[in-house]
Amino acid sequence: MFLFEKLDDDQLDWLCRGGHVETFEPGLVFREGDPATCFYVLMDGEVVLTKQSGGEEIELVRTRHRGAYSGAWMAYMGDKVEQNYNGSFYVTQPSKFFVLDSATFAQMMREWFPMALHLLEGVFFGNRNSNEIIGQRERLLALGQLSAGLTHELNNPASAAVRATSALRDRVAGMRHKLKMMAHGKFTPAAFEALVQLQEEAATQVAKAPTLTPLETADREDELGDWLDGHGIANGWDIAPTFVQAGFDVDWLERISGALEGCDGGVFEGAIRWLNYTVETELLMNEITDSTTRMSSLVNAAKQYSQMDRAPFQVVDIHELLKSTLVMLARKIGDDITVVKDFDRTLPQVPCYAAELNQVWTNLIDNAVAAMDGHGTLTVRTYRENECAVVEIGDTGPGVPAELRHRIFEPFFTTKPVGEGTGLGLDISFRIVAKKHGGDIRVESVPGDTRFIVRLPLNPARPVEEQGADTNPGGEG
């Protein structure tokens, strides 16, 4: 067999003494996850190698090729790596193997190929360390981008609240000054009581102000400005927009005029300006409320995204995770991408590692935005399929070429320009979905419609523990 054709007579004799020939009837030879005790080389028959994925056993290799090998082929690394079978091995007919136990195979590798052994170890651990270092760097870069975006998003409402607070202080000071002036006016008790009632109505009305079109707003400002000017209010055009914003009209101003009938003109103008201050303070307090509510929502979204102070494995509403991720990525998504959320609200809660799933959504959405070059439609869809919750992240970009689809989940493979991608985003996402959740992630793509489809089991038997970095199931020589 080609596997042994370069060995000399002494080495072949050593193999004959160290190994044995064994025939297996159709069925299982070894199972994935069991301790790796033997190295098998096919001499005659047919073998099938499988691996678990998404709760299903997937066939990887089916061959009759003499010399195909599998089993404890990493025994030469000893306790440096976990010595378990990385896949399940079956025979479909009576099949004959040359078998070495793992200790004998390890001894052979160490004694016959010392330099090759060092090279193999260097490649194996070098790749694994590179994966960990670059993966960590990618997570830190993503965290930095998200932090910058969150800071920007928080800055806008914070600045608005500061501006509104400063303006509110001026308006309250103006109200105190105007009230002092009004106290020296000639008010009847009935007129002052009516004015206070109108002030209460004004404060209430602000919260119920209708939404007007620009044309309706302009027409009403002209109407109120003319009325104020006609009643001797200086610079009435400056006051009119505030009353219009609060939803007031000429009929309301007529009520003020009627309530102060018999008072001198100065009192009337003072009352109008006092009510204007009242409306302005209510509008400013609404602006402060909106700004602080926005900041609170952003902080809550950040906590939901990071899963701060929450158990790693929990049962969650998958939509809350998706929404928090969209909030955190809002700045990167930008204004020229339309976000469509097609959520199946009947979907039950999902047992998962929530923070790590947020990393998956981040990677997939980031790739979708990059594929669309900042213009297009991002679709986030959820639905139930059998006993799985399904999340689709779709974009309207140019698509993934057919010849590259089988490689996109490979570590370090990227279609982004040099320096713009590490090629680990999809590899990390696959590991989180498949290894930690027992789920599945795949891509369907045509130009204008690319969808990454994530399936998560709704009823996993138990939390899936993190697995080792090595996923090589063995193979043919």
Side-chain angles (χ1 to χ4, degrees):
M1 289 182 289
F2 70 92
L3 194 60
F4 307 122
E5 64 184 358
K6 299 296 184 182
L7 302 183
D8 59 32
D9 289 343
D10 289 340
Q11 290 172 324
L12 290 172
D13 182 62
W14 188 94
L15 280 177
C16 289
R17 285 184 283 108
H20 65 277
V21 175
E22 186 173 351
T23 299
F24 290 86
E25 294 300 317
L28 179 71
V29 177
F30 59 76
R31 187 177 301 282
E32 179 178 352
D34 288 346
T37 58
C38 293
F39 177 75
Y40 299 87
V41 183
L42 180 65
M43 300 175 67
D44 184 54
E46 183 180 59
V47 298
V48 176
L49 185 67
T50 70
K51 192 168 180 63
Q52 290 288 331
S53 176
E56 298 181 10
E57 196 168 12
I58 307 301
E59 181 177 314
L60 301 179
V61 177
R62 180 183 292 262
T63 183
R64 297 171 176 267
H65 189 63
R66 296 178 73 245
Y69 62 88
S70 190
W73 65 278
M74 288 174 55
Y76 63 89
M77 290 192 176
D79 59 5
K80 295 177 183 177
V81 297
E82 191 174 4
Q83 294 294 337
N84 293 326
Y85 291 121
N86 290 322
S88 296
F89 201 57
Y90 298 87
V91 295
T92 60
Q93 62 188 52
S95 301
K96 185 165 61 173
F97 294 88
F98 175 69
V99 184
L100 285 171
D101 67 64
S102 58
T104 304
F105 178 74
Q107 179 186 355
M108 178 191 78
M109 290 291 289
R110 285 192 292 265
E111 293 181 2
W112 294 3
F113 312 108
M115 182 176 177
L117 183 62
H118 288 304
L119 291 172
L120 285 171
E121 287 185 352
V123 170
F124 179 84
F125 290 111
N127 281 341
R128 188 160 73 176
N129 291 338
S130 297
N131 273 345
E132 292 174 354
I133 292 169
I134 296 180
Q136 183 180 34
R137 180 178 180 273
E138 182 165 277
R139 287 190 290 271
L140 289 173
L141 286 173
L143 179 61
Q145 292 174 345
L146 291 173
S147 298
L150 179 62
T151 301
H152 176 80
E153 292 295 325
L154 283 170
N155 184 64
N156 289 336
S159 298
V162 170
R163 288 194 302 270
T165 302
S166 177
L168 180 62
R169 183 175 288 110
D170 291 340
R171 300 307 186 274
V172 171
M175 286 181 69
R176 291 197 302 268
H177 178 69
K178 191 60 63 180
L179 186 60
K180 180 180 178 181
M181 294 178 62
M182 289 170 61
H184 295 288
K186 297 179 181 179
F187 280 94
T188 64
F192 200 85
E193 184 178 351
L195 189 59
V196 171
Q197 180 62 36
L198 286 169
Q199 184 188 38
E200 293 294 332
E201 291 181 16
T204 303
Q205 174 63 28
V206 170
K208 302 184 294 185
T211 300
L212 303 176
T213 66
L215 182 59
E216 290 172 331
T217 299
D219 289 344
R220 189 168 290 189
E221 287 177 0
D222 288 343
E223 186 179 12
L224 264 64
D226 290 340
W227 189 94
L228 292 167
D229 186 57
H231 286 72
I233 306 299
N235 299 319
W237 295 101
D238 294 333
I239 299 174
T242 303
F243 285 147
V244 170
Q245 188 177 355
F248 299 132
D249 54 20
V250 168
D251 290 341
W252 190 78
L253 295 178
E254 290 287 0
R255 288 181 60 198
I256 301 174
S257 178
L260 299 178
E261 189 173 356
C263 300
D264 61 44
V267 167
F268 176 65
E269 182 170 353
I272 289 291
R273 296 193 181 279
W274 185 49
L275 289 171
N276 179 66
Y277 281 134
T278 298
V279 172
E280 284 187 321
T281 57
E282 289 296 322
L283 291 171
L284 288 168
M285 285 191 289
N286 285 348
E287 185 175 345
I288 293 171
T289 299
D290 290 342
S291 297
T292 52
T293 299
R294 172 64 177 161
M295 287 188 286
S296 178
S297 297
L298 286 168
V299 171
N300 286 335
K303 289 179 67 176
Q304 176 69 254
Y305 180 82
S306 66
Q307 292 295 296
M308 190 186 306
D309 302 327
R310 302 187 185 187
F313 191 85
Q314 55 185 300
V315 180
V316 301
D317 181 350
I318 206 77
H319 303 111
E320 295 304 316
L321 303 184
L322 291 165
K323 288 193 295 184
S324 69
T325 304
L326 288 170
V327 169
M328 295 296 289
L329 293 175
R331 188 182 182 205
K332 174 170 281 192
I333 293 171
D335 297 329
D336 294 327
I337 290 179
T338 302
V339 179
V340 176
K341 290 178 281 191
D342 182 9
F343 292 164
D344 178 4
R345 292 297 184 177
T346 66
L347 195 65
Q349 292 190 324
V350 179
C352 64
Y353 294 92
E356 298 193 38
L357 280 186
N358 280 339
Q359 187 179 357
V360 174
W361 315 142
T362 299
N363 291 338
L364 296 182
I365 292 172
D366 183 62
N367 285 348
V369 171
M372 292 185 287
D373 196 23
H375 298 80
T377 300
L378 173 71
T379 303
V380 182
R381 177 178 294 111
T382 65
Y383 56 90
R384 179 169 182 163
E385 186 178 89
N386 300 321
E387 291 305 308
C388 287
V390 184
V391 177
E392 285 188 10
I393 308 295
D395 67 71
T396 55
V400 181
E403 64 272 15
L404 299 181
R405 282 176 212 159
H406 69 288
R407 297 194 60 197
I408 60 175
F409 292 104
E410 293 179 9
F412 305 109
F413 178 78
T414 179
T415 58
K416 294 179 180 178
V418 175
E420 293 187 16
T422 62
L424 286 178
L426 290 177
D427 173 60
I428 291 170
S429 298
F430 179 83
R431 290 173 183 271
I432 291 172
V433 172
K435 290 196 168 186
K436 294 209 74 170
H437 294 87
D440 177 59
I441 178 171
R442 63 189 63 184
V443 62
E444 295 179 1
S445 182
V446 295
D449 181 18
T450 296
R451 287 174 289 147
F452 280 85
I453 305 166
V454 177
R455 291 177 173 84
L456 300 167
L458 291 170
N459 300 295
R462 59 181 175 83
V464 181
E465 298 297 334
E466 183 69 77
Q467 314 238 341
D470 176 42
T471 59
N472 191 332
E476 290 185 41

